[in-house]
Amino acid sequence: MSGQVMPCSPQEIGSLFLFEKLTPEQLGRLCSKGRVERFEAGPVYTEGEPATCFFVMIEGTVVLSRRVGGDDVEVTRTSQPGVYSGAMQAYLGDRVRQLYNNSMRVTEQTRFFVLPADTFAAVMQEWFPMAVHLLEGLFFGSKSTQQAIGQRERLLALGSLSAGLTHELNNPAAAAVRATATLRERVAKMRHKLGVISAGPYPREALANLIEVQERTAELVAKAPTLSPLEAADREDALTDWLDDHGIPDGWRLAPTFVQAGLDIDWLDQVAAEVDPEILPGAIGWLNYTVETELLMDEIEDSTTRISHLVDAAKQYSQLDRAPYQNADVHELLDSTLLMLSGKIGSRIEVVKDYDRTLPKVPAYPAELNQVWTNLIDNAVHAINSTGGAGTLTVRTALDHDRLLVEFRDTGPGVPQEIRGRIFDPFFTTKPVGEGTGLGLDISWRIVVNKHHGTLQVESEPGDTRFQVLLPLTAADDYTPEEPA
């Protein structure tokens, strides 16, 4: 938007605090290269447009705002003469993309001294060369530091996740190894027992009945009911008594295995009815090995399935072989992140999932949202641990008007009011030295706000801190999400 061009007075612009130390010659040059413009109430420039001018307000009222999601958030409103905005980084030249990083409007008739960006860059480099070098060093140094520490933050998160994943994988893998070794031993004993039975003076019909009982027993193991500890103890006592009454040695050792497999006295009665008395002790021992092998194979299956689920969760978390931008189910992303972080969360923190499963998929960069979930969960766990290590982490999803809400609520000490406005600033951290870089929330903010056009906000009081991520349900006009394969 262009304003009405007016005469430029060196004395007037020299009265502004930004120019008050300039010489008359320098003020004259500014007036000859720049201009004074008067704007009526309304917009002056818009965030994201090429930054072509440097604006210094002479009189009036300006409002600066930033685009957050679908809303313009006011960040500054002032009537102080001399305030400036616009192409403030023009002196960096082509090394930085020159765009307006906010929007400016005026609420009343306002006059500006307007200097073209290339002229502003030229006078800065000519009049203040040392200051320009210092500003360049500050800008690029800060940017390099932020990138380096951002990479370090991601590496630390990756290391923590790798340690947690290794811990989670170790348990089922060790269980599978133990079960396999035990299974090998049981199968060997079962072959030996079968050899003893088959070498005895038993008719073929008795052996055929025994094989049939074995098949039925294996089927029963697969359908074993879940018993309470009291029910299991009562059934063990009953089975032990039955085995003792029928002359089966070591009945107290066999009974727990049969109970775990869901077998009861009715099953033992059926076995006794179909097997000759002289073969019964050997048959019970052989069937015990059958039951143990079935239980061990179930254990191996459970362990390997657990490993498979962990690998799937790791792939879901890292989004390997997935389109970078797609319609994603946030619940799958949250579950995979919680699983990856389960080792870090520990057993003393209760995790409550309050999901609205009716929510639709949202267009997103899933791998980057997982980074957001990781940072927010990590902060919540740190907060809870700072109060003794026991507490509750609640992850909630819901529909909030036309956006999807993901909320992380912890029972930690809360975020003090005096620092609440700074927690999303780069390098700001409340963690002890060496435990935090201060970029987790900054990275999360940029992923949610800049990349997903959403909102990241916090509500906090002692014992109830809630970080809320609000994501749009539809894609921006310039993005087309892919459906996950």
Side-chain angles (χ1 to χ4, degrees):
M1 177 179 177
S2 298
Q4 179 185 356
V5 178
M6 305 181 70
C8 178
S9 166
Q11 291 76 22
E12 183 176 45
I13 65 171
S15 67
L16 303 174
F17 67 83
L18 193 62
F19 305 131
E20 61 186 1
K21 300 298 183 180
L22 299 182
T23 66
E25 291 76 14
Q26 290 173 324
L27 292 173
R29 181 178 174 183
L30 288 180
C31 264
S32 66
K33 296 293 185 179
R35 60 190 184 274
V36 172
E37 289 190 42
R38 183 172 66 195
F39 290 81
E40 300 299 326
V44 177
Y45 63 75
T46 303
E47 180 180 351
E49 293 178 346
T52 58
C53 295
F54 178 69
F55 294 84
V56 184
M57 190 183 74
I58 300 173
E59 62 177 355
T61 301
V62 299
V63 176
L64 299 180
S65 62
R66 294 290 304 272
R67 192 73 172 172
V68 179
D71 304 318
D72 285 317
V73 179
E74 181 178 318
V75 294
T76 302
R77 179 185 294 260
T78 181
S79 299
Q80 180 184 357
V83 295
Y84 52 89
S85 188
M88 294 185 294
Q89 296 175 344
Y91 59 86
L92 296 172
D94 295 336
R95 290 172 294 175
V96 174
R97 193 178 180 192
Q98 298 294 331
L99 301 174
Y100 291 122
N101 60 11
N102 54 37
S103 298
M104 183 166 71
R105 62 185 175 89
V106 296
T107 59
E108 59 181 332
Q109 193 178 81
T110 301
R111 285 193 305 133
F112 291 96
F113 172 66
V114 183
L115 196 62
D118 55 352
T119 302
F120 174 58
V123 298
M124 284 288 291
Q125 292 164 359
E126 179 182 342
W127 295 348
F128 313 107
M130 182 176 177
V132 167
H133 286 307
L134 290 172
L135 289 171
E136 287 177 344
L138 178 64
F139 178 83
F140 290 112
S142 175
K143 190 172 183 180
S144 297
T145 300
Q146 186 168 344
Q147 289 175 343
I149 295 183
Q151 291 295 330
R152 177 65 174 169
E153 180 90 3
R154 289 180 172 87
L155 286 173
L156 289 172
L158 180 60
S160 176
L161 289 171
S162 298
L165 181 59
T166 302
H167 174 77
E168 290 296 317
L169 285 170
N170 181 65
N171 292 333
V177 171
R178 289 194 304 269
T180 302
T182 306
L183 179 63
R184 189 187 308 275
E185 177 188 343
R186 294 296 184 271
V187 170
K189 289 184 177 180
M190 185 166 63
R191 288 198 302 267
H192 174 72
K193 181 69 73 173
L194 181 60
V196 171
I197 294 175
S198 61
Y202 308 116
R204 292 184 59 186
E205 292 78 7
L207 295 178
N209 287 340
L210 185 57
I211 297 298
E212 184 181 352
V213 170
Q214 182 191 38
E215 292 295 331
R216 294 205 308 268
T217 300
E219 293 176 2
L220 290 173
V221 174
K223 303 174 184 178
T226 301
L227 302 178
S228 69
L230 184 60
E231 290 173 331
D234 290 343
R235 184 173 291 188
E236 282 183 22
D237 291 341
L239 290 180
T240 301
D241 292 341
W242 190 98
L243 293 170
D244 290 343
D245 292 343
H246 288 75
I248 309 298
D250 297 328
W252 59 272
R253 185 178 59 83
L254 302 178
T257 302
F258 291 154
V259 170
Q260 184 181 354
L263 306 178
D264 54 17
I265 290 179
D266 288 342
W267 170 77
L268 288 174
D269 288 337
Q270 293 177 23
V271 173
E274 298 185 30
V275 175
D276 294 338
E278 64 273 15
I279 202 177
L280 182 61
I284 293 293
W286 185 55
L287 292 175
N288 174 64
Y289 292 138
T290 299
V291 170
E292 285 187 332
T293 56
E294 290 295 324
L295 292 175
L296 287 167
M297 285 189 288
D298 287 344
E299 184 177 347
I300 293 172
E301 182 181 15
D302 290 342
S303 298
T304 53
T305 300
R306 171 70 174 165
I307 292 172
S308 178
H309 287 166
L310 285 166
V311 172
D312 287 343
K315 289 181 65 176
Q316 174 68 255
Y317 180 84
S318 63
Q319 291 295 300
L320 292 174
D321 305 325
R322 306 290 180 94
Y325 189 67
Q326 60 179 262
N327 287 315
D329 184 342
V330 295
H331 303 109
E332 293 179 357
L333 305 182
L334 290 167
D335 285 341
S336 67
T337 304
L338 287 168
L339 183 55
M340 291 296 98
L341 291 173
S342 59
K344 188 167 191 176
I345 293 171
S347 59
R348 298 186 64 195
I349 296 177
E350 180 186 4
V351 177
V352 177
K353 298 178 182 180
D354 183 9
Y355 292 168
D356 180 356
R357 294 285 187 178
T358 65
L359 293 174
K361 294 182 178 181
V362 294
Y365 294 89
E368 299 200 25
L369 283 184
N370 282 339
Q371 179 72 36
V372 174
W373 311 151
T374 299
N375 292 335
L376 296 181
I377 293 171
D378 181 72
N379 284 349
V381 170
H382 181 271
I384 294 173
N385 286 337
S386 70
T387 60
T392 303
L393 168 63
T394 303
V395 183
R396 182 171 73 94
T397 63
L399 188 65
D400 188 293
H401 301 292
D402 59 345
R403 295 188 292 181
L404 186 148
L405 168 68
V406 181
E407 180 183 81
F408 299 84
R409 177 184 179 186
D410 68 74
T411 55
V415 182
Q417 180 66 41
E418 59 270 19
I419 67 170
R420 205 168 296 170
R422 301 171 56 200
I423 60 174
F424 296 109
D425 293 348
F427 307 111
F428 180 80
T429 180
T430 59
K431 296 179 181 177
V433 175
E435 292 189 21
T437 62
L439 284 179
L441 288 178
D442 171 58
I443 291 171
S444 300
W445 170 273
R446 286 188 279 113
I447 291 174
V448 172
V449 176
N450 296 342
K451 200 148 191 178
H452 289 86
H453 309 289
T455 302
L456 176 57
Q457 60 196 30
V458 61
E459 298 176 0
S460 183
E461 60 184 46
D464 185 4
T465 296
R466 308 183 186 199
F467 280 88
Q468 298 173 328
V469 176
L470 291 158
L471 300 171
L473 297 177
T474 56
D477 295 337
D478 53 343
Y479 289 102
T480 302
E482 298 183 23
E483 288 294 336

